Amino acid sequence: MRTVGVEEELLLVDAESGRPLSVAARTLQYAGEAARPAEPINGGAGAAERTAASGDAPGGSLEHELQQQQIETDTIPHTDMVALGDGVRAWRDHAIAAARRAGARVIASGTSPLPVGAAIVGKPRYLKMVEHFGLTTTEQLTGGCHVHVSVESDEEGVGVLDRIRGWLPVLLALSANSPFWQGEDTKYASFRSQAMVRWPTAGPTEAFGSAERYHELVSSMIASGAILDEGMVYFDARLSHHYPTVEIRVADVCPDAADTVLIAALCRGLVDTAAAAWRAGEDPLPISVSMLRLMSWQAGRFGIEGDLIDPRTLKPRAAREIVVDLVDHVRAALRENGDEALVDEQVERIFARGNGAMRQRAVLEKTGQLSDVVADLATATAGLDG
């Protein structure tokens, strides 16, 4: 069974005002002084445990991101989704406890609801990015959910990338959780997806056909001087340059950890299904990059409240219908992995109560205060809202 790990980019906000707070360094210092979380290997509660610091697996960390108002969590790989959910929550709890000592709260949101200024972490690489990309760098304060799914080789990984392209906008729609930007309603469900495409490598890709062509393209991008290094290849899905995984990067970070697990389970289902199609010699769906960009825009604009674009017909259909199609597309893999009931139940929950963007707007409509939106996100991120 393929392993799955999750990285979450989380915002640090002032406990009173809700505005982003530049305390990443202190938060990480306090986190380093505390015992690191233990993640269950498989089976959730009652399973054997190991600490994320044990060194026998990648992942298991709390780290800096580009801005001082942000940190990133990283679970160890799991085969069991209950255990993965426990790991996500354990690292959130670790971050929350450390941030509290620094006078901050932690929120899982694709963007800050309240206005924010630049506060770049002073690493040489980040400072080079400011010099090279200007405002795109200084305004980049977004929270994504990156899912790593193991693959057997780069060839299999590229075969997967070529065959999941059309379904990635559906993951964005389900996870959309960034309706506000600099204190204004953007009218998008995921404005993070708009902020990301300002980077020259971000967004959907063509079908590569082979690992050799994939690596040739990445090498050409770096050699062009337009990007600094391989870490700046911000494709919606890519081969990880750290782990033997496909890294699916399209989703917003979700307030509810259960939604994070849903996205992770669907990602593994997509990888399993695509790998089987690659081994069988089935061609990828013939979708142009231009059409994929349009599909991603539609998903980011409307989330699950409007139409999405069917990756098979390229025609608009109700979001719920296309989400059902995605689940059916990967159902055999979900059943094999033991994830079928989890996915079916969580999809129903999302359509019953809405995704993160819908939740944020509902709080604003009720109270009229973006600070209340932030407070509600903090509660959801901590898993305290029932």
Side-chain angles (χ1 to χ4, degrees), residues 1-19:
M1 191 180 295
R2 296 180 193 274
T3 60
V4 185
V6 169
E7 300 169 357
E8 292 191 301
E9 296 168 334
L10 304 171
L11 297 180
L12 301 165
V13 299
D14 185 88
E16 298 298 327
S17 70
R19 288 177 178 266

Side-chain angles (χ1 to χ4, degrees), residues 51-118:
T51 65
S54 61
D56 59 349
S61 65
L62 192 63
E63 298 178 349
H64 269 294
E65 254 296 332
L66 176 66
Q67 302 274 7
Q68 296 178 37
Q69 304 103 322
Q70 189 173 46
I71 52 177
E72 181 180 74
T73 66
D74 179 17
T75 74
I76 63 173
H78 293 277
T79 57
D80 180 84
M81 287 296 141
V82 173
L84 178 66
D86 289 345
V88 169
R89 294 179 185 92
W91 281 102
R92 286 188 178 194
D93 289 346
H94 189 56
I96 289 165
R100 186 182 300 116
R101 292 183 63 190
R105 304 181 80 180
V106 174
I107 65 169
S109 181
T111 54
S112 169
L114 287 160
V116 59

Side-chain angles (χ1 to χ4, degrees), residues 214-229:
Y214 176 93
H215 290 301
E216 284 177 352
L217 175 62
V218 171
S219 295
S220 296
M221 286 179 163
I222 297 169
S224 74
I227 61 174
L228 303 184
D229 51 41

Side-chain angles (χ1 to χ4, degrees), residues 245-288:
T245 64
V246 165
E247 181 185 0
I248 299 173
R249 304 167 47 86
V250 70
D252 282 5
V253 67
C254 300
D256 188 338
D259 291 349
T260 304
V261 175
L262 168 66
I263 297 299
L266 288 171
C267 285
R268 180 165 63 179
L270 278 169
V271 172
D272 278 332
T273 303
W278 169 72
R279 287 192 299 270
E282 297 176 16
D283 290 334
L285 292 173
I287 311 174
S288 68

Side-chain angles (χ1 to χ4, degrees), residues 6-10 73 81 84-90 92-93 96 106-110 143-145 147 171 174-178 251-265 342 345-360 373-386:
V6 169
E7 300 169 357
E8 292 191 301
E9 296 168 334
L10 304 171
T73 66
M81 287 296 141
L84 178 66
D86 289 345
V88 169
R89 294 179 185 92
R92 286 188 178 194
D93 289 346
I96 289 165
V106 174
I107 65 169
S109 181
C145 172
V147 180
L171 301 179
L174 283 167
S175 66
N177 180 39
S178 48
D252 282 5
V253 67
C254 300
D256 188 338
D259 291 349
T260 304
V261 175
L262 168 66
I263 297 299
L342 177 153
E345 291 169 8
Q346 197 60 27
V347 165
E348 287 302 315
R349 288 192 188 102
I350 284 183
F351 278 98
R353 51 124 163 105
N355 59 15
M358 296 162 70
R359 178 180 182 135
Q360 290 195 41
V373 174
V374 175
D376 179 70
L377 285 166
T379 298
T381 303
L384 299 177
D385 60 351

